[in-house]
Amino acid sequence: MIERTLFSDEHRMFRDSVRRFMEHEVVPHHERWEEQGYVDREAWLKAGANGMLCATMPQEYGGSGADKLYSIVVMEEISRANATGLGFGLHSEIVAPYILHYGSEEQKRRFLPKMASGETIAAIAMSEPAAGSDLQGVRTTAIRKAGAYVLNGSKTFITNGWHADLVIVVAKTDPQAGAKGISLLLVERGMKGFEKGRRLKKVGMKAQDTAELFFDNVEVPEANLLGGENEGFAYLMQELPWERLQIAIAAVENAQAAIDWTSAYVKERKLFGTTVSAFQNTRFKLAELQTEVQIARVFVDKCIELLMQERLDTATASMAKYWCSDLQCKVVDECVQLHGGYGYMWEYPIARAWADARVQRIYGGTNEIMKEVITRSMGLGGR
């Protein structure tokens, strides 16, 4: 196995502490969270107290001012434990950077410290019943009126949506201008007309609260406009490389975890008087999967290097997202097969990982959209 060179001793020490947190504060409760459909807010507060939320935010806004490798450690350890209920990554490394990069000083000081402590749980609302990967097709509107934006519309598939105290809402402030008429608004819990719908029942990721959100003439103060009016689409595009790389990072780590669980299982499971690992098919299949995951790991680590140098482009990040999420689904499915009937039992982590993995090929932009992005970077025409 190729030694990873990205992480310092400090990163490795932090990884040990995050792994202990997962073992003691997350894994013992995750099955209960799956049954109730959401993670206890107490877990968010404990994560904040342990420096696991918004670590890359500057210290003046409640973070640690750490480099992104610390956030990557958290992502990897969550994926290693298959703790898919935790919406920490979206909160810390999607929502918080939007506020840091495009927010006013007042917005940063109002929202980021409580996000870092876990007191405020954040979400971003892009997808709608009739607009998923096509953000230009959003129908939610925010029309300026008397010092506020009057927000109307609905969103669906919103991670952290049911718990959310703060939501970045993608809306049309100029409905006739297409992508050039999109803005980002900071909508807070308690605003009149802002309602949360049911927690959606999903095939996998059952502990992650995923909700519908409804906006009925919500008056959002002008002070809650994030960045410039009608600049939202540009902001969304600028943040995409990092967002898509996060999916690839999680996919590779979860695929490796699936191999590790399966390797341990086949060494113990007896069949026809010997262990399942004694069969050549088992060993060759695991060798194939491990090789592919190693290749993916090297590519993703190179993407991380480019990210740290601010050189990661959207097409390369899209390659990582599409390839690694496809590979994750393949690896987990093959590992279910090697578990036999037990691989289909919910009590085994491989069964949960199998159900949880499938959505990776859909969210963050479907893998078909990723291929469109890649072909455009190659100068190939399309619609």
Side-chain angles (χ1 to χ4, degrees):
M1 301 289 285
I2 297 174
E3 181 182 356
R4 302 179 75 188
T5 57
L6 284 170
F7 301 102
S8 67
D9 287 342
E10 288 75 17
H11 294 122
R12 285 186 279 271
M13 290 173 61
F14 181 64
R15 185 183 296 276
D16 289 341
S17 69
V18 174
R19 188 167 295 185
R20 287 194 298 271
F21 181 88
M22 292 294 150
E23 291 171 351
H24 296 293
E25 303 293 348
V26 174
V27 174
H29 306 289
H30 206 268
E31 184 175 358
R32 175 173 59 82
W33 294 341
E34 288 174 334
E35 292 172 356
Q36 70 183 17
Y38 60 91
V39 172
D40 295 339
R41 288 188 76 103
E42 183 183 7
W44 285 84
L45 295 171
K46 288 181 177 179
N50 281 273
M52 290 171 54
L53 301 178
C54 302
T56 60
M57 294 299 104
Q59 291 182 350
E60 62 263 37
Y61 304 129
S64 303
D67 62 51
K68 277 189 166 59
L69 292 174
Y70 284 88
S71 287
I72 289 169
V73 165
V74 176
M75 293 172 202
E76 289 185 342
E77 290 305 309
I78 288 174
S79 295
R80 177 181 177 273
N82 202 50
T84 53
L86 302 177
F88 296 172
L90 179 137
H91 170 96
S92 299
E93 288 299 332
I94 294 181
V95 178
Y98 275 107
I99 297 173
L100 178 69
H101 296 158
Y102 310 115
S104 66
E105 186 65 22
E106 186 274 335
Q107 288 170 347
K108 294 174 191 178
R109 295 194 179 279
R110 179 152 52 112
F111 297 119
L112 291 177
K114 288 189 176 181
M115 287 177 63
S117 68
E119 296 171 81
T120 292
I121 296 176
I124 185 166
M126 300 185 194
S127 295
E128 298 182 0
S133 296
D134 179 17
L135 292 177
Q136 298 183 55
V138 299
R139 297 180 181 177
T140 298
T141 60
I143 307 304
R144 186 192 288 267
K145 181 181 178 182
Y149 291 91
V150 180
L151 182 65
N152 282 285
S154 64
K155 299 290 183 177
T156 193
F157 311 139
I158 307 307
T159 299
N160 298 341
W162 186 72
H163 263 325
D165 305 296
L166 175 68
V167 184
I168 296 178
V169 179
V170 178
K172 290 279 185 68
T173 40
D174 185 350
Q176 308 306 315
K180 294 181 179 180
I182 289 176
S183 299
L184 306 182
L185 296 173
L186 294 162
V187 178
E188 300 174 66
R189 177 193 288 271
M191 285 185 172
K192 185 178 180 181
F194 171 32
E195 300 291 341
K196 299 174 182 180
R198 61 194 175 99
R199 291 194 308 277
L200 301 173
K201 293 185 177 181
K202 308 180 295 296
V203 171
M205 293 190 166
K206 295 179 183 294
Q208 185 185 94
D209 76 89
T210 307
E212 299 170 313
L213 303 179
F214 301 97
F215 310 97
D216 182 12
N217 289 318
V218 181
E219 293 190 11
V220 182
E222 286 184 351
N224 279 36
L225 174 68
L226 185 60
E229 184 174 291
N230 299 327
E231 297 294 327
F233 191 77
Y235 300 154
L236 294 169
M237 294 303 103
Q238 289 168 25
E239 298 297 324
L240 277 178
W242 174 220
E243 293 174 19
R244 288 174 176 166
L245 182 58
Q246 291 178 55
I247 297 172
I249 289 167
V252 171
E253 191 65 33
N254 188 250
Q256 183 61 60
I259 292 172
D260 294 343
W261 301 329
T262 306
S263 296
Y265 175 82
V266 298
K267 286 188 283 189
E268 297 293 330
R269 175 68 171 161
K270 296 290 183 66
L271 190 66
F272 300 117
T274 188
T275 62
V276 175
S277 63
F279 293 99
Q280 186 182 73
N281 177 72
T282 301
R283 291 180 284 110
F284 280 16
K285 180 58 66 178
L286 286 169
E288 292 167 7
L289 298 177
Q290 184 63 79
T291 300
E292 292 184 67
V293 170
Q294 179 66 76
I295 292 167
R297 172 85 77 191
V298 172
F299 178 47
V300 167
D301 280 0
K302 180 61 179 178
C303 288
I304 293 171
E305 288 182 15
L306 292 172
L307 178 81
M308 302 294 285
Q309 299 165 9
E310 299 185 353
R311 293 170 53 210
L312 181 66
D313 61 86
T314 301
T316 304
S318 298
M319 292 176 185
K321 189 272 180 186
Y322 128 66
W323 179 262
C324 294
S325 59
D326 271 9
L327 177 62
Q328 177 190 16
C329 288
K330 172 188 173 180
V331 169
V332 173
D333 188 72
E334 294 280 14
C335 288
V336 167
Q337 191 72 18
L338 289 173
H339 277 73
Y342 288 103
Y344 206 64
M345 297 296 106
W346 196 251
E347 65 199 80
Y348 280 76
I350 195 65
R352 291 171 170 161
W354 180 75
D356 294 344
R358 184 58 181 84
V359 74
Q360 301 268 42
R361 296 170 61 195
I362 297 172
Y363 65 28
T366 66
N367 284 1
E368 289 73 24
I369 295 294
M370 298 303 100
K371 293 172 187 178
E372 285 287 354
V373 173
I374 295 163
T375 56
R376 288 171 190 168
S377 75
M378 298 166 65
L380 301 175
R383 292 183 58 195

